[in-house]
Amino acid sequence: MGNRPSEHSDRAWHELTAQQALDALHSTPGGLDSEQARVRLQQHGANRLPPPQKRGPLLRLLYQFHNVLLYLMLGAALIAALLGHWVDTAVILAAVLINVVIGFIQEGKAENALNAIRDMLSPHAMVRRDGERHEIDAEQLVPGDVVLLVSGDKVPADLRLLSVKNLLVEEAALTGESVPVEKSVAHCRQDAALGDRRCMAYSGTLVSSGQASGLVVATGADTELGRIGAMLQQVQALSTPLLRQIEQFSRWLAVIILVLALATFILGTFWHGQNPGDMFMMVVALTASAIPEGLPAIMTVILALGVQRMAGQNAIVRRLPAVETLGSVTVICSDKTGTLTRNEMTVQRVVSAERVLDVSGVGYAPEGAFHLDGQLQEPDHALLETARAAQLCNDARLQQDAHGHWRLHGDPTEGALLTLALKSGLDIQALQAQLPRSDAIPFESEHRFMATLHHDHAGQGLVYLKGAPERLLDMCASQRLADGSDAPLDADYWRRQATDLAARGLRLLALASKPAAASQRTLNFSDVETGLTLLALVGIIDPPREEAIAAVAECQQAGIRVKMITGDHAETARAIGAQLGIGIGLPAMTGAELELLDDRRLREVLPGVEVFARASPEHKLRLVQAMQDSGEVVAMTGDGVNDAPALKRADVGVAMGHKGTEAAKEAAEVVLADDNFATIAGAVREGRAIYDNLKKFILFALPTNGGQALIVIFAILFQAVLPLTPAQVLWINMVTSCTLGLALAFEPSERGLMQRAPRAPDEPLLSAFFVWRVLMVSVLIASAGIGLFLWELELGNSVESARTIAVNAVVMCEIFYLFNSRSLLGPVLSREGLLGNPAVPLTIALCLVLQLLFTYAPPLQGVFGSESMSADEWLRVLLAGVTLFVVAELEKCLVRRCGLHARPT
Ligand code: ATP
């Protein structure tokens, strides 16, 4: 003990035999005890990679300036300064600075949100400590620990393998090689390359199949992964297709503004012969008015807030673009067990060769008995042997906690079998001591059975098997009778019984056994293919989740089809599907039937099938591809290592947080912390809401710039006095986007959001409708600004007071337009429409206070050249706002009536 990391980190572990490695770390195949582990954890520190080098705050702040729009503003400030317009220079610089600070703070917030999500994805490891198996946080691992690996696990630390069984490891994370490598325990030469060290499993690589145990030889930064300094990216950077579209849009906008500004300048100075200095200030005003500085920052906030909300509702988004894709999902393919059902299993029926017994009791508590037509029955020989098989061919553990509740560690199907064994009166401990396990073939969805080999103390061998009845019936030759004797297998009887159980929605499992030679110490597929004796069929109930029933209905209303893909029996799947509202009146298709169809035929029949039974992961992949070829946008759930290809291929791969393997989580875009189907429906709802809010914000923000640009262009074209000075334009931009626009980030989802059809995935953001709406509102805002400006001059008032009115008119229009923007097409003249988002009145109040300061506070009057306004003037400004509100609502009404927009809201 007491090995400092440095003592061992350079050691060639692959060169040592397993025993030498154990000795070097003072460990045993049974692992450490908890005291040793505690001491070593203190010495070596947690098994985590140092966080990636972050940019320092100063660099991050400077990075905020890296934006074309801000470059333009800085250029304008420089020229304004050269011309001696100090106030304008200062205001432009202040606007740039405010934007940079907002960007800086928001980026920090968004990153924190993502970091929190990253923490929710921290992996676990199965270790042997104190002679028992424990599941612990992978961060708690120390050198000397013995870790158990199964397929789908991510290797949690660098391991010297102690025992392997068909272990294949995918080491792409380390070597770039995506073909899985077969591992063994034999030590290798000292100069073996990383990819050739067969007896090692390195941190961050994925177990694609098989099982193993391994000794932890390096943790945290000492692992190979830590040494190459690679931080496995769990959550991607803050960008989505929509944000990239906006970034591109900003770049184009910058070019257009530059060209326009240059053209205006040349036109004004050389053609109209205006003073270049005045002309330049006009151009600066135009540039400032047209640049939507706040756009990228606030869009990022909307996205980050949405992702945080989703995480709060148990949907962890690993790749941000999924947020947008979620909104256009047309089909959700879901697993059944645990996602649509509760995964709390109880055996309700046991069918043996001679009788059908009902089992009483619910849950994992071993309280219940066996009944035949209501009469209590004593377990017979066949039932006791069934219970023995159920107990021994099993990896789960039941434990009674301090409150007397029975807790399950392991697979719920196996838990149900343990409870059954206890109900039959079996002494589990005694049985385990009497028939210790020599080898096992673990359960996999592909082969749908599990087998174990046991030997009693006289050396007599025995194989137990449990699995899907269709699979086991092919392997059995005989059946066990009540008196313990065997008879030839009556396959028809069993099939009838299986169909009967399945039609009741029960999950089926058959149990069988076979004697083995004393010399047989390992178990292979060829050992269990024939000659088994069928003991019994059990029917397990797994009730649907209440919330899943509601969520399925919600999805169907939202134009999203829900398909169930399960490994269960077709009849069971249909019966459960019917309870959930999936595939009612439609045939179920089995994996075998699916294999008979070619791609074209599959695409034809797909719309008519909602329940797929006895399906394996490859079928999932084929289904996703076929649906995508038919133009569907597919969300697919999965948990096993073999589900990874289907999850990757799906538009939105959804992995289970609890029962999902690390391989599945790595392949998925979204991880469900609660494995619940209702969470997927919630994520789709949230995805739609976020996209809506982004659209609403853009529709709100762009007309502010459009309106102001039109006002300036008007002045240039008609050689009038500028109704807005550059400083005033920047004031408006800041006030509206920092207060009003932000309110839309908190916009709750619209009612009826889940009654709309899914958004077409290729729907462009800047559709014709969008451009029309921006233009219309820009013109309205510009008319209000110019109209009130000219009116004020007409009345003989000063340019300063006319400008103050123009500024207030533009802001007032924005205030009213904020209400319109709460719904893209729906009316907002209702209690809900006006008060539904508390952020709206709050930001409006803030905005009004700022406007009052702008109008009346002497220091601001000094900077912006504003003047106090009379009640009459305020009334006119108010009227301008109301007019815009009414016109915008009328336009929505017209669009709704005439169906000019594709999607009714
Ligand atoms: P899902 O609906 O999420 O696909 P599922 O549990 O229905 O999950 P699988 O886990 O692939 O699908 O199980 C398929 C069949 O294999 C079950 O119907 C059952 O007969 C059998 N089975 C399930 N778990 C075990 C197990 N631990 N040991 C042996 N057989 C099992």
Side-chain angles (χ1 to χ4, degrees):
M1 260 203 330
N3 304 302
R4 304 293 313 163
S6 51
E7 279 174 47
H8 287 292
S9 51
D10 291 332
R11 205 160 187 158
W13 293 99
H14 54 280
E15 196 194 7
L16 306 183
T17 63
Q19 191 54 51
Q20 284 170 337
L22 282 168
D23 293 343
L25 286 170
H26 306 278
S27 185
T28 66
L32 304 172
D33 60 41
S34 28
E35 179 54 24
Q36 281 174 315
R38 196 187 57 76
V39 174
R40 288 190 193 194
L41 189 62
Q42 274 178 355
Q43 286 171 350
H44 296 270
N47 173 33
R48 85 169 80 90
L49 291 183
Q53 273 282 316
K54 274 208 180 148
R55 271 181 274 152
L58 189 69
L59 209 64
R60 262 184 36 218
L61 190 75
L62 284 179
Y63 198 74
Q64 297 297 328
F65 285 96
H66 180 55
N67 174 334
V68 238
L69 300 181
L70 292 190
Y71 289 163
L72 265 187
M73 305 257 299
L74 287 176
L78 182 72
I79 300 179
L82 289 179
L83 290 172
H85 289 269
W86 297 113
V87 171
D88 289 320
T89 312
V91 174
I92 297 176
L93 286 180
V96 169
L97 212 66
I98 291 176
N99 262 299
V100 162
V101 170
I102 291 178
F104 178 73
I105 296 172
Q106 298 305 1
E107 190 185 277
K109 268 199 195 151
E111 267 186 5
N112 285 345
L114 290 192
N115 283 343
I117 289 172
R118 203 172 286 150
D119 286 345
M120 291 170 82
L121 291 169
S122 66
H124 291 247
M126 187 65 89
V127 288
R128 260 195 218 126
R129 279 196 187 160
D130 302 315
E132 282 199 29
R133 285 160 28 140
H134 294 275
E135 190 170 325
I136 60 169
D137 251 350
E139 291 202 347
Q140 306 285 319
L141 285 177
V142 293
D145 261 327
V146 173
V147 173
L148 305 170
L149 297 175
V150 294
S151 66
D153 281 355
K154 181 139 95 182
V155 179
D158 283 1
L159 307 178
R160 168 66 172 90
L161 295 169
L162 301 176
S163 68
V164 299
K165 184 150 193 213
N166 308 324
L167 185 69
L168 288 179
V169 178
E170 198 226 279
E171 300 186 322
L174 213 55
T175 60
E177 174 58 59
S178 62
V179 180
V181 183
E182 189 168 353
K183 297 287 180 179
S184 67
V185 290
H187 62 282
C188 18
R189 290 173 34 179
Q190 198 218 343
D191 56 357
L194 208 61
D196 296 331
R197 298 180 190 166
R198 298 287 157 114
C199 59
M200 301 289 295
Y202 290 106
S203 180
T205 59
L206 283 170
V207 180
S208 22
S209 67
Q211 295 168 296
S213 67
L215 173 74
V216 174
V217 295
T219 58
D222 292 335
T223 60
E224 289 297 330
L225 192 69
R227 285 196 215 188
I228 57 175
M231 176 67 190
L232 287 185
Q233 202 69 62
Q234 293 258 18
V235 183
Q236 271 196 346
L238 259 172
S239 189
T240 74
L242 182 62
L243 280 193
R244 278 195 292 276
Q245 232 173 315
I246 285 295
E247 231 166 73
Q248 217 168 20
F249 170 75
S250 320
R251 246 174 269 147
W252 273 109
L253 201 66
V255 173
I256 294 172
I257 293 169
L258 258 182
V259 170
L260 214 69
L262 214 67
T264 316
F265 185 75
I266 292 171
L267 219 75
T269 345
F270 297 110
W271 194 27
H272 287 297
Q274 295 224 3
N275 173 341
D278 288 353
M279 223 30 235
F280 185 78
M281 282 328 284
M282 291 238 180
V283 168
V284 169
L286 180 63
T287 316
S289 65
I291 297 177
E293 311 90 74
L295 204 62
I298 295 192
M299 298 227 349
T300 311
V301 178
I302 296 180
L303 209 66
L305 278 177
V307 169
Q308 210 170 13
R309 259 201 313 263
M310 279 196 193
Q313 293 159 11
N314 290 322
I316 303 160
V317 176
R318 291 187 64 239
R319 298 193 227 293
L320 280 185
V323 177
E324 285 168 26
T325 323
L326 270 170
S328 47
V329 161
T330 57
V331 180
I332 302 178
C333 297
S334 173
D335 285 346
K336 173 177 72 69
T337 309
T339 313
L340 289 164
T341 65
R342 290 223 282 260
N343 216 4
E344 289 159 5
M345 309 224 185
T346 317
V347 176
Q348 278 203 326
R349 270 200 176 187
V350 181
V351 178
S352 60
E354 287 158 305
R355 52 187 191 162
V356 179
L357 297 176
D358 291 319
V359 189
S360 59
V362 281
Y364 297 117
E367 289 145 14
F370 300 88
H371 300 267
L372 182 72
D373 298 329
Q375 300 286 317
L376 193 68
Q377 301 287 312
E378 279 307 310
D380 58 23
H381 193 284
L383 181 60
L384 283 177
E385 189 60 9
T386 304
R388 237 171 264 148
Q391 139 68 25
L392 290 172
C393 186
N394 202 319
D395 284 328
R397 238 171 356 118
L398 272 179
Q399 238 175 8
Q400 207 169 8
D401 64 16
H403 307 288
H405 298 304
W406 288 83
R407 299 223 169 273
L408 170 71
H409 303 272
D411 174 25
T413 308
E414 300 198 332
L417 291 177
L418 278 188
T419 306
L420 176 77
L422 286 169
K423 282 178 185 169
S424 74
L426 221 58
D427 181 344
I428 288 190
Q429 245 108 38
L431 188 63
Q432 263 166 352
Q434 204 184 331
L435 280 169
R437 189 190 286 188
S438 325
D439 199 12
I441 299 176
F443 173 75
E444 300 266 358
S445 295
E446 278 82 32
H447 53 254
R448 292 199 194 93
F449 72 83
M450 165 177 178
T452 51
L453 172 66
H454 304 265
H455 286 90
D456 64 17
H457 296 295
Q460 205 53 47
L462 200 57
V463 176
Y464 283 118
L465 228 90
K466 73 174 195 303
E470 303 100 293
R471 189 84 176 86
L472 259 69
L473 274 175
D474 289 342
M475 305 167 161
C476 291
S478 56
Q479 58 195 36
R480 184 66 42 88
L481 301 180
D483 60 5
S485 63
D486 290 351
L489 185 78
D490 178 359
D492 279 347
Y493 163 79
W494 293 106
R495 290 216 168 85
R496 261 198 327 274
Q497 292 293 348
T499 312
D500 182 54
L501 289 183
R504 295 164 196 263
L506 296 179
R507 186 175 165 78
L508 297 180
L509 214 66
L511 294 132
S513 72
K514 176 185 182 175
S519 57
Q520 184 183 347
R521 287 287 149 179
T522 57
L523 199 56
N524 294 308
F525 279 86
S526 57
D527 298 326
V528 293
E529 256 154 27
T530 52
L532 286 145
T533 304
L534 194 60
L535 302 173
L537 266 185
V538 297
I540 302 174
I541 185 167
D542 179 18
R545 291 177 184 258
E546 287 300 323
E547 64 274 27
I549 300 178
V552 168
E554 186 183 19
C555 287
Q556 287 166 342
Q557 266 196 344
I560 302 169
R561 252 151 309 128
V562 181
K563 300 197 189 245
M564 180 166 99
I565 306 183
T566 170
D568 241 335
H569 191 279
E571 281 302 321
T572 313
R574 250 165 59 99
I576 298 281
Q579 292 175 30
L580 285 154
I582 302 174
I584 297 175
L586 297 175
M589 183 184 276
T590 63
E593 287 165 355
L594 194 146
E595 275 168 20
L596 295 178
L597 302 177
D598 63 16
D599 288 348
R600 194 179 54 84
R601 185 81 193 109
L602 180 61
R603 280 202 299 276
E604 281 168 14
V605 300
L606 265 180
V609 186
E610 290 191 344
V611 173
F612 297 87
R614 290 299 186 222
S616 53
E618 302 89 77
H619 298 138
K620 283 189 173 177
L621 183 60
R622 250 199 98 192
L623 284 172
V624 173
Q625 283 167 341
M627 285 185 231
Q628 286 178 333
D629 289 345
S630 317
E632 307 280 5
V633 180
V634 186
M636 164 74 79
T637 70
D639 47 22
V641 56
N642 300 318
D643 288 335
L647 294 184
K648 270 199 193 134
R649 171 74 203 226
D651 298 279
V652 184
V654 183
M656 302 299 147
H658 274 309
K659 66 170 187 164
T661 55
E662 287 300 321
K665 288 183 208 168
E666 207 118 298
E669 271 89 27
V670 177
V671 176
L672 302 181
D674 58 358
D675 295 10
N676 190 343
F677 180 83
T679 306
I680 309 179
V684 169
R685 195 186 317 117
E686 199 61 58
R688 288 184 172 195
I690 294 175
Y691 199 83
D692 261 10
N693 285 355
L694 288 175
K695 270 195 353 196
K696 287 175 189 173
F697 175 69
I698 299 171
L699 262 188
F700 169 77
L702 288 186
T704 319
N705 300 104
Q708 296 179 103
L710 284 182
I711 292 177
V712 178
I713 289 172
F714 162 85
I716 294 173
L717 279 185
F718 294 94
Q719 300 187 30
V721 190
L722 269 180
L724 303 170
T725 64
Q728 288 170 344
V729 162
L730 292 170
W731 167 265
I732 296 175
N733 281 356
M734 287 322 300
V735 163
T736 52
S737 69
C738 292
T739 59
L740 302 178
L742 209 55
L744 291 175
F746 298 94
E747 192 59 34
S749 55
E750 274 185 29
R751 200 176 296 152
L753 184 74
M754 290 298 268
Q755 266 122 44
R756 299 181 197 156
R759 168 173 56 89
D762 50 359
E763 180 190 282
L765 179 70
L766 300 171
S767 58
F769 170 73
F770 237 71
V771 176
W772 151 251
R773 171 71 65 82
V774 171
L775 275 180
M776 180 193 81
V777 181
S778 300
V779 169
L780 285 174
I781 292 179
S783 313
I786 296 168
L788 290 184
F789 175 76
L790 293 179
W791 189 350
E792 196 65 12
L793 288 183
E794 202 57 26
L795 291 175
N797 290 327
S798 67
V799 175
E800 282 70 31
S801 101
R803 281 181 174 155
T804 313
I805 291 197
V807 170
N808 276 313
V810 171
V811 174
M812 192 58 81
C813 283
E814 284 287 315
I815 289 179
F816 277 90
Y817 181 51
L818 180 64
F819 287 108
N820 298 121
S821 302
R822 290 202 55 220
S823 173
L824 293 175
L825 287 172
V828 292
L829 211 54
S830 63
R831 207 184 134 76
E832 159 63 29
L834 297 178
L835 299 172
N837 177 0
V840 169
L842 213 77
T843 50
I844 289 180
L846 195 69
C847 182
L848 284 177
V849 170
L850 288 173
Q851 279 317 108
L852 289 177
L853 287 175
F854 173 86
T855 314
Y856 295 106
L860 290 185
Q861 286 182 337
V863 173
F864 293 102
S866 47
E867 281 188 0
S868 306
M869 275 168 51
S870 68
D872 258 10
E873 288 166 333
W874 277 115
L875 198 66
R876 267 175 266 152
V877 165
L878 199 69
L879 261 175
V882 173
T883 311
L884 180 116
F885 177 81
V886 172
V887 174
E889 282 303 288
L890 280 177
E891 181 248 15
K892 283 196 219 169
C893 181
L894 214 70
V895 173
R896 280 198 309 273
R897 283 264 170 85
C898 308
L900 291 176
H901 188 254
R903 175 163 56 71
T905 308

